[in-house]
Amino acid sequence: MQKLNFPEYSFRFKNSENKVAIFDDIRKKFILLTPEEWVRQHVVHFLLTAKNFPKSHINVEKVVKINGMNKRYDIVVYRPDGSIFLIVECKAPYVPITQTTFDQIARYNMVLNAGYLMVTNGLNHYFCQMDNEAERYIFLKDIPHYTPIL
């Protein structure tokens, strides 16, 4: 798999029927290794190690209803009070981050109401803080580290 713009992390892999799977520490199972999953697993490790979020606050690949349609978010990080701190949208490294990507995560956020957004293809990362009153996002250099009183 391609080198990404993240620190080096240690992953567990498994080969089965000529397919490679990667172990997801959040879902506690092996997942087929696709380019997007490679990015998602790097983000999970980034959130756990660089940002110190507890595993119990991270959710991966769950269904959210948007305008009556079932969609899947990539990663959500919860605050201790159960509200959503961060939504992450992951794309494969060969997928450019465009306005369409931001529109997608903004639609998810209309339902989820996160304080922060992260969009990445593993090579380019964009971090935003939500300004819900003005209905816009403010680009940041990074997202805050975990603190129990988020």
Side-chain angles (χ1 to χ4, degrees), residues 8-91:
E8 292 286 328
Y9 297 117
S10 178
F11 297 103
R12 289 174 41 203
F13 299 97
K14 176 174 85 171
N15 285 311
S16 177
E17 300 176 17
N18 293 328
K19 294 184 179 167
V20 178
I22 188 168
F23 190 77
D24 182 318
D25 288 334
I26 305 303
R27 293 178 273 186
K28 294 181 176 46
K29 65 181 182 177
F30 282 94
I31 306 295
L32 181 65
L33 182 58
T34 63
E36 183 177 321
E37 191 62 42
W38 183 238
V39 172
R40 188 170 19 256
Q41 291 308 312
H42 275 79
V43 173
V44 166
H45 283 261
F46 168 75
L47 294 170
L48 292 171
T49 59
K51 297 299 175 183
N52 299 318
F53 287 97
K55 280 184 192 178
S56 61
H57 290 220
I58 300 173
N59 210 315
V60 177
E61 285 250 292
K62 295 288 184 186
V63 173
V64 60
K65 270 212 186 297
I66 312 246
N67 296 327
M69 295 174 58
N70 287 342
K71 300 289 185 179
R72 278 192 172 285
Y73 61 71
D74 285 307
I75 301 169
V76 163
V77 178
Y78 291 92
R79 291 183 177 96
D81 68 4
S83 63
I84 297 177
F85 175 74
L86 170 71
I87 305 170
V88 182
E89 179 59 31
C90 300
K91 298 295 184 191

Side-chain angles (χ1 to χ4, degrees), residues 109-120:
N109 201 42
M110 288 189 320
V111 173
L112 299 173
N113 298 313
Y116 295 88
L117 307 177
M118 176 180 175
V119 175
T120 182

